[in-house]
Amino acid sequence: MVRWHLDGATRGKLGWTQFLLLELGEHYTPRRISLLSLEQHEKAIAEGLSRTATPMVSLSMLGPRGLIGRYGKVFTGPQVQV
């Protein structure tokens, strides 16, 4: 899935095994890079955090209480410097 600008939320597509979400800042420099595997998403479904096979994609997923923040990996700061 490619989306240049998220304002609100967008639904993912079926058939994925790895989900990568980039948050870009000024001059398109990466602010946060996140990764969620299908297995991690299935765990979130089993524990009741996510309810569908196709997650709603939004930047709130990257926070400490969000889907990727809790079950995946979020890289910030020096980890994403180019």
Side-chain angles (χ1 to χ4, degrees), residues 6-58:
L6 285 176
D7 53 351
T10 301
R11 182 161 301 281
K13 303 287 184 198
L14 287 174
W16 62 278
T17 58
Q18 296 282 320
F19 181 78
L20 177 72
L21 179 60
L22 304 171
E23 179 186 9
L24 301 177
E26 189 175 349
H27 306 292
Y28 300 102
T29 56
R31 295 180 65 192
R32 294 186 286 186
I33 298 174
S34 64
L35 183 63
L36 181 74
S37 70
L38 180 58
E39 292 80 17
Q40 291 166 324
H41 184 249
E42 289 170 345
K43 181 179 179 185
I45 291 172
E47 294 179 2
L49 182 71
S50 187
R51 293 181 183 88
T52 66
T54 56
M56 289 298 293
V57 180
S58 69

